[in-house]
Amino acid sequence: MSDNVQATRAEAKSSRRQQILEALATQLEQYPGERITTAKLAASLNVSEAALYRHFPSKARMFEGLIGFAEDTVFGLIRRIIEENQNALSRIEKIMTLLLGFSAKNPGITSVLVGAALTGETERLRLRVSQFFDRLETQFRQILRERELSLTEAGGRPVNETANLLLSIVEGHMQQYVRSSYRQSPLTGWEQQWQLIANLLRAYA
């Protein structure tokens, strides 16, 4: 078998996996609060359930694929924000706006991240989502701590508590988005809310 044929098959398999994940995300968006079965997912793609399992050994792996997409996208963009911005407040604003924007564009994945779509699913998925948010909180903490260390006067600022507050704000917006069946965008009122948050963070400015 030639390398070109192998490459073509690999690309076709990757494309099919992507189609399945996109279909799952769409189903989660179109049927908020409902459990998505593999039978329903297969029907939406006009394929058999067996065809799904040729690409994913279980539905849990499909959910992991959506979480992996969120991780790769979000943290890849966060790295760019960190590289391009030196100011702590600018970094935090851009990261929080990124997270809310990603949520607004990916309602189905948001329902997975906040746990609404994971009812009855394996506990492993909840742990994976928890790690996603733990990683976000760590990122906020690192930004705040770096700024704290660069200040000439130690103010005893509550870095850990502040990082947790920022994460709670993001999670709260995402939860409201899912709870409203995606009618209330996570970006609603965000510009005004950021001004309030910026005032709270003035100790790190």
Side-chain angles (χ1 to χ4, degrees):
M1 184 183 297
S2 71
D3 290 342
N4 287 339
V5 172
Q6 289 181 326
T8 299
R9 288 186 175 180
E11 290 173 0
K13 184 176 181 179
S14 176
S15 176
R16 196 55 171 166
R17 286 172 58 90
Q18 183 65 26
Q19 289 175 358
I20 293 171
L21 293 179
E22 289 176 358
L24 176 56
T26 298
Q27 292 274 302
L28 291 168
E29 178 182 354
Q30 292 178 343
Y31 305 101
E34 296 184 24
R35 186 174 184 186
I36 306 302
T37 64
T38 51
K40 192 171 185 178
L41 180 60
S44 73
L45 288 164
N46 293 316
V47 300
S48 66
E49 289 184 73
L52 295 182
Y53 291 122
R54 281 198 291 271
H55 298 278
F56 292 94
S58 66
K59 189 170 67 168
R61 288 295 179 86
M62 298 178 199
F63 278 114
E64 286 182 338
L66 293 181
I67 297 170
F69 169 77
E71 291 172 336
D72 292 344
T73 302
V74 167
F75 291 106
L77 292 172
I78 286 178
R79 282 194 296 272
R80 186 182 304 173
I81 289 171
I82 297 299
E83 291 171 358
E84 295 177 354
N85 297 269
Q86 299 302 315
N87 179 271
L89 291 188
S90 177
R91 285 176 169 180
I92 291 171
E93 178 187 11
K94 290 181 183 301
I95 289 173
M96 295 182 78
T97 302
L98 160 67
L99 293 167
L100 299 181
F102 177 85
S103 176
K105 293 178 181 178
N106 298 277
I109 295 178
T110 300
S111 71
V112 175
L113 294 177
V114 302
L118 299 181
T119 302
E121 302 296 338
T122 176
E123 182 64 19
R124 184 177 76 249
L125 294 173
R126 296 186 181 279
L127 292 174
R128 181 79 179 271
V129 166
S130 179
Q131 290 172 353
F132 174 85
F133 285 107
D134 287 347
R135 191 174 170 187
L136 285 175
E137 185 172 357
T138 297
Q139 187 67 75
F140 285 135
R141 189 181 303 117
Q142 288 176 344
I143 292 171
L144 295 171
R145 183 167 292 127
E146 286 177 9
R147 180 56 182 151
E148 173 78 8
L149 293 174
S150 70
L151 295 172
T152 55
E153 296 181 7
R157 296 168 184 82
V159 169
N160 293 341
E161 292 78 6
T162 303
N164 183 258
L165 174 61
L166 297 175
L167 179 67
S168 297
I169 291 170
V170 170
E171 283 195 79
H173 276 256
M174 295 170 69
Q175 289 278 4
Q176 289 176 343
Y177 186 37
V178 174
R179 190 173 66 245
S180 69
S181 296
Y182 313 124
R183 289 188 295 272
Q184 181 176 322
S185 170
L187 288 165
T188 299
W190 173 239
E191 289 185 10
Q192 294 85 350
Q193 291 175 350
W194 169 251
Q195 295 306 315
L196 298 173
I197 296 168
N199 287 333
L200 292 173
L201 296 175
R202 63 184 180 276
Y204 296 92

